């Protein structure tokens, strides 16, 4: 007999995690394991597909061992994953043809530049909502077919399969029975038309990808097959799949158009639900699929910032002015506002809405009175300013399209991720946005989203409205800054960014 618990797998960039949620949506048990990162050359980032598989199985077993009944208490399995990371394996033997190429990998920058120079970007963006950037799967797959010996011939002979991490895990979990993905993961490949909801022949031709190697695309809450009983001790139905940022959007119950979630980890990813209409960004944000339920697609605008929590890591490991990440808050509190600094943490270029890969970080406003406290404050504030940049772009896009999204002044931001424990940072975020910032009780929103998708399909968990009802706030941060001060501070930031950009 199955119980009503859900097992959620969160296969991330640096670790694999598994969380068992009970039928009241509370996390009951967790397993987590880091795995090796491979950097074979400058700008290259790889994972061993066997590490992804082994660590995932291992963390699931760890979590299941902590609950009564183990796998027999689980009604369904949900998967969320690092997005865009690209795998190719042999249909018969199951052997990967090379390491997984991770989303951060920049090896296809030249190919992207070439395709852009040839004038392909408008067509690609029109169909996919994405940009011609190495970040996405399409050029990584093209690279594998081109550069791994024998890969192209084998792919053309129908012997190879492509997948993002969700497809790879499901293929292994089902003993090779299911070669599937969900619409959110498909929407990050550069091969999927987000208007027609289908793999696109013109895009596949552009990247030289044989269409037989692509997985079948399902709804985010759907039947993805069944995990073989010998893996966890019971056959577990796989019923929910979404890429990590989309799963967090679902886990934050951002079901209404205009709702925004922002996740603060190493970097920051903000998604705004734009409902059933796809909004074409005028501000270089991405249009992407937020989720697909019962065949109905909900879209989002997405903006990413490369450096959020990693600015705090730099204070700790680079400058060594704090011992632990939480110390950044006491330091910021001790900073004298008269010594205001602006830090533009463009350590790896600037992300949305600037997309300036050649910009590098800068600090403005240094005087003899500047000290470590002021640097800490500037680092935490940079997260707020960068979010404001994204939100401004989203507001502009949403209004321009008249997409029926929430008016700018009604915005509320739902936040999650490791950095959101910093009250000081969240208060500054509310102040500089001029909008409330809501932090939920369950900060594991990514896993929660995957669990809810699986529970919905399995019939265990309620519909959107009931789930949204159960979403619980831990704390709301209300903006407390005068409008004039907010405007002056933000203008200073805009000026700092202008002076930092390489392309200005
Ligand atoms: P990821 O999933 O990207 O690894 P997490 O969601 O685990 O990231 O968040 C970790 C990040 O949050 C780190 O970059 C860390 O510097 C930052 N962080 C953690 N705790 C705090 C804190 N109390 N104050 C500020 N930043 C913090």
């Amino acid at each position: 007999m199955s119980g009503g618990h859900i097992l959620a797998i969160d296969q991330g960039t640096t670790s694999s995690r598994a969380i068992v949620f009970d039928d009241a949506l509370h996390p009951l048990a967790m397993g987590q394991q880091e795995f090796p990162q491979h950097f074979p050359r400058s700008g290259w980032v790889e994972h061993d597909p066997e590490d992804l598989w082994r660590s995932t199985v291992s963390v699931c077993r760890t979590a299941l061992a902590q609950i009564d009944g183990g796998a027999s208490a689980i009604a369904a399995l949900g998967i969320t994953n690092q997005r865009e990371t690209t795998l190719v394996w042999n249909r018969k033997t199951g052997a990967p043809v090379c390491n997984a190429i991770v989303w951060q990998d920049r090896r296809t920058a030249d190919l992207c530049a070439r395709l852009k120079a040839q004038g392909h970007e408008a067509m690609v963006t029109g169909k996919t909502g994405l940009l011609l950037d190495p970040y996405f799967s399409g050029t990584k797959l093209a690279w594998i077919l081109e550069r791994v010996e024998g890969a192209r011939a084998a792919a053309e002979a129908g012997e190879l399969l492509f997948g993002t991490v969700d497809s790879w895990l499901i293929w292994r979990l089902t003993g090779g029975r299911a070669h599937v993905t969900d619409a959110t993961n498909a929407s990050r490949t550069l091969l999927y038309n987000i208007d027609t909801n289908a793999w696109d022949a013109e895009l596949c031709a552009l990247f030289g990808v044989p269409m037989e190697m692509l997985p079948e695309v399902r709804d985010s809450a759907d039947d993805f097959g069944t995990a073989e009983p010998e893996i966890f001790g019971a056959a577990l139905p796989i019923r929910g799949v979404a890429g990590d940022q989309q799963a967090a959007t679902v886990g934050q119950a951002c079901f209404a158009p205009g709702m925004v979630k922002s996740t603060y980890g190493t970097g920051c990813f903000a998604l705004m639900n734009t409902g059933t209409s796809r909004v074409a960004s005028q501000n270089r944000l991405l249009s992407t699929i937020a989720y697909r339920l019962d065949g109905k697609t909900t879209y989002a605008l997405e903006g990413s910032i490369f450096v959020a929590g990693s600015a705090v890591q730099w204070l700790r490991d680079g400058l060594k002015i704090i011992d632990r990440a939480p110390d950044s808050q006491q330091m910021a509190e001790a900073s004298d506002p008269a010594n205001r600094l602006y830090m533009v943490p463009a350590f790896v270029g600037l992300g949305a809405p600037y997309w300036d890969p050649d910009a590098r970080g800068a600090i403005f406003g240094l005087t003899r009175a500047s000290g470590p406290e002021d640097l800490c404050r500037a680092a935490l504030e940079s997260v707020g300013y960068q979010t404001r940049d994204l939100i401004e772009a989203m507001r502009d896009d949403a209004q321009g399209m008249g997409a029926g999204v929430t008016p700018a002044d009604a915005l509320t931001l739902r936040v999650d991720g490791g950095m959101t424990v910093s009250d000081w940072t969240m208060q500054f975020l509310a102040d500089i946005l001029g909008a409330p910032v809501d932090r939920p009780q369950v900060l594991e929103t990514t896993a929660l989203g995957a669990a809810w998708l699986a529970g919905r399909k399995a019939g265990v968990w309620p519909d959107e409205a009931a789930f949204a009802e159960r979403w619980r706030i831990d704390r709301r941060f209300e903006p407390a800054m005068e409008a004039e001060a907010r405007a002056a501070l933000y203008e200073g930031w805009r000026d700092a960014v202008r002076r930092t950009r390489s392309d200005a």
Side-chain angles (χ1 to χ4, degrees):
M1 275 299 290
S2 297
H5 298 340
I6 307 285
L7 174 63
I9 292 172
D10 179 358
Q11 202 305 301
T13 310
T14 55
S15 70
S16 300
R17 288 139 58 83
I19 301 182
V20 176
F21 290 90
D22 68 13
D23 53 8
L25 318 180
H26 294 130
L28 280 183
M30 212 239 311
Q32 175 161 10
Q33 200 174 301
E34 290 194 12
F35 52 83
Q37 309 286 316
H38 301 281
F39 308 105
R41 292 192 202 179
S42 164
W44 292 29
V45 188
E46 297 182 354
H47 292 155
D48 181 339
E50 300 296 344
D51 285 339
L52 302 181
W53 166 245
R54 273 193 301 262
S55 62
T56 297
V57 171
S58 161
V59 295
C60 288
R61 287 179 178 153
T62 303
L64 291 171
Q66 296 164 44
I67 58 163
D68 289 342
S72 64
I74 302 296
L77 173 61
I79 300 178
T80 179
N81 54 287
Q82 52 168 319
R83 303 178 302 173
E84 297 103 8
T85 296
T86 302
L87 295 99
V88 176
W89 65 95
N90 185 291
R91 187 194 289 275
K92 287 210 190 68
T93 66
V97 302
C98 59
N99 272 345
I101 305 184
V102 178
W103 58 274
Q104 297 154 319
D105 189 292
R106 309 301 295 174
R107 78 183 63 178
T108 60
D110 287 350
L111 174 56
C112 290
R114 202 157 61 240
L115 291 170
K116 257 194 232 180
Q118 290 166 359
H120 293 296
E121 192 166 56
M123 183 276 284
V124 171
T125 301
K127 291 186 174 198
T128 66
L130 310 175
L131 301 168
L132 269 175
D133 188 276
Y135 177 24
F136 308 105
S137 315
T139 57
K140 298 182 196 295
L141 176 52
W143 188 96
I144 292 172
L145 293 173
E146 208 53 46
R147 305 292 282 272
V148 174
E149 209 183 317
R152 173 158 306 280
E156 279 166 4
E159 290 164 14
L160 300 186
L161 300 177
F162 153 79
T164 41
V165 172
D166 55 314
S167 297
W168 166 244
L169 294 177
I170 294 169
W171 196 82
R172 279 280 171 105
L173 286 167
T174 61
R177 281 186 186 61
H179 182 221
V180 291
T181 188
D182 92 299
T184 68
N185 276 294
S187 79
R188 314 298 295 187
T189 58
L190 286 176
L191 304 170
Y192 193 71
N193 185 317
I194 64 170
D195 293 321
T196 61
N197 259 291
W199 298 116
D200 188 280
E202 188 182 9
L203 292 168
C204 290
L206 181 66
F207 297 106
V209 173
M211 293 182 80
E212 314 79 73
M213 69 187 304
L214 303 175
E216 195 181 304
V217 184
R218 308 230 159 124
D219 284 352
S220 310
D222 211 331
D223 183 347
F224 293 90
T226 302
E228 301 274 277
E230 56 274 20
I231 301 174
F232 301 122
L236 298 184
I238 307 167
R239 294 291 181 265
V241 174
D244 52 11
Q245 299 310 320
Q246 280 89 341
T249 306
V250 166
Q252 288 276 35
C254 287
F255 296 124
M259 292 183 79
V260 185
K261 78 88 203 177
S262 197
T263 300
Y264 297 91
T266 309
C268 157
F269 292 88
L271 267 79
M272 175 193 262
N273 184 320
T274 62
T276 50
S277 59
R278 170 189 168 186
V279 174
S281 177
Q282 306 301 313
N283 294 287
R284 294 179 70 73
L285 299 175
L286 308 174
S287 310
T288 202
I289 293 180
Y291 46 87
R292 198 173 86 193
L293 297 172
D294 305 324
K296 197 177 106 187
T297 303
T298 298
Y299 295 91
L301 277 173
E302 174 175 324
S304 42
I305 300 167
F306 300 138
V307 174
S310 62
V312 176
Q313 290 168 358
W314 180 65
L315 299 174
R316 186 192 62 192
D317 307 334
L319 292 183
K320 300 189 177 17
I321 54 178
I322 53 173
D323 291 329
R324 300 157 44 247
D327 298 343
S328 57
Q329 170 154 335
Q330 288 88 19
M331 294 282 273
E333 282 164 354
S335 157
D336 178 353
N339 297 332
R340 183 166 296 280
L341 299 181
Y342 285 101
M343 178 191 296
V344 184
F347 302 148
V348 289
L350 286 165
Y354 308 106
W355 296 101
D356 180 354
D358 298 321
R360 288 296 175 267
I363 298 167
F364 296 94
L366 289 166
T367 69
R368 279 296 299 271
S370 304
E373 294 83 4
D374 309 311
L375 284 168
C376 288
R377 180 185 182 123
L380 297 183
E381 287 180 347
S382 75
V383 173
Y385 290 125
Q386 293 182 95
T387 306
R388 169 100 184 247
D389 288 344
L390 291 183
I391 298 294
E392 293 288 331
M394 285 179 174
R395 283 171 168 166
D396 189 59
D397 280 343
Q399 283 179 356
M401 292 302 293
V405 302
T406 312
D409 53 0
L411 175 89
T412 304
L413 190 66
R414 291 190 168 181
V415 296
D416 53 69
M419 204 179 184
T420 57
V421 299
S422 170
D423 290 350
W424 194 94
T425 310
M426 294 302 104
Q427 184 57 49
F428 182 76
L429 182 58
D431 285 344
I432 203 66
L433 289 177
V437 168
D438 285 351
R439 186 171 64 194
Q441 286 177 1
V442 178
L443 281 174
E444 300 287 357
T445 53
T446 307
L448 179 62
W452 178 73
L453 289 169
R456 183 183 191 272
K457 183 66 184 175
V460 181
W461 277 2
D463 59 11
E464 285 96 303
F467 177 70
E469 189 74 9
R470 286 187 186 198
W471 182 91
R472 288 280 179 277
I473 198 167
D474 162 52
R475 181 164 167 193
R476 165 166 286 192
F477 297 86
E478 292 283 0
M481 190 181 276
E482 296 293 331
E484 211 170 300
R486 174 185 310 131
L489 284 179
Y490 188 57
E491 189 40 48
W493 165 260
R494 299 286 292 227
D495 184 52
V497 171
R498 262 193 297 276
R499 291 196 272 162
T500 303
R501 289 179 69 168
S502 74
D503 51 0

